[in-house]
Amino acid sequence: MADIRSRPPVMRLTEAAAARVRSLMERSDSKGAGLRVGIKNGGCAGMEYTMEFAEEAGRFDEVIEDKGARVLIDPKAILYLLGTEMDYKTDKMSAQFVFNNPNQTSACGCGESVAITPATSEAGLSGSASAGA
């Protein structure tokens, strides 16, 4: 019989990100399954992080439950988000989710779009990008 190995989560949340996700879900009109995070083509660097409320988990969504928050990872984004830490930062002028993604290779000057390479065994790059919320 083969040993079943537990695998690390695709993404982890800081306490600040988990608190913000919990707050957003509590205030949402829908008491859905969680906050879905994904990646789409766009922006000057080539890709953008996406976030939306999810009514239910998709068949192939990766479900992350961390610090009392539930985040669903779009299956098309899994390889791009492997090893990512999701944080939430506030300052005098803004409040936003920040993705510390080891697969990110560059970002545009405004920070709204990123270049991300799918994770491989050689992925060891570090980077971060933000998404307002």
Side-chain angles (χ1 to χ4, degrees):
M1 181 174 203
D3 288 334
I4 297 176
R5 232 176 28 152
S6 65
R7 56 187 181 153
V10 171
M11 187 170 69
R12 65 184 191 284
L13 282 66
T14 65
E15 188 55 52
R20 182 63 177 159
V21 170
R22 289 191 308 265
S23 172
L24 288 170
M25 294 308 297
E26 288 168 4
R27 294 186 331 195
S28 112
D29 292 336
S30 148
K31 298 300 179 201
L35 184 69
R36 180 174 286 118
V37 175
I39 299 285
K40 71 175 185 175
N41 291 332
C44 52
M47 301 183 104
E48 298 173 327
Y49 293 100
T50 63
M51 289 182 278
E52 64 182 0
F53 291 111
E55 291 296 322
E56 60 186 40
R59 181 174 175 195
F60 298 108
D61 283 347
E62 183 82 17
V63 179
I64 307 295
E65 296 197 21
D66 192 8
K67 300 172 182 69
R70 191 165 198 222
V71 175
L72 310 173
I73 308 296
D74 183 313
K76 293 176 284 203
I78 290 172
L79 286 177
Y80 294 101
L81 295 175
L82 279 172
T84 297
E85 176 188 68
M86 183 174 163
D87 196 5
Y88 186 72
K89 305 257 182 185
T90 58
D91 61 28
K92 291 180 182 181
M93 301 299 287
S94 69
Q96 59 194 346
F97 284 104
V98 175
F99 296 89
N100 298 310
N101 186 340
N103 307 303
Q104 182 178 315
T105 57
S106 67
C108 67
C110 67
E112 292 298 317
S113 70
V114 293
I116 305 172
T117 303
T120 66
S121 60
E122 298 172 12
L125 303 172
S126 63
S128 66
S130 58

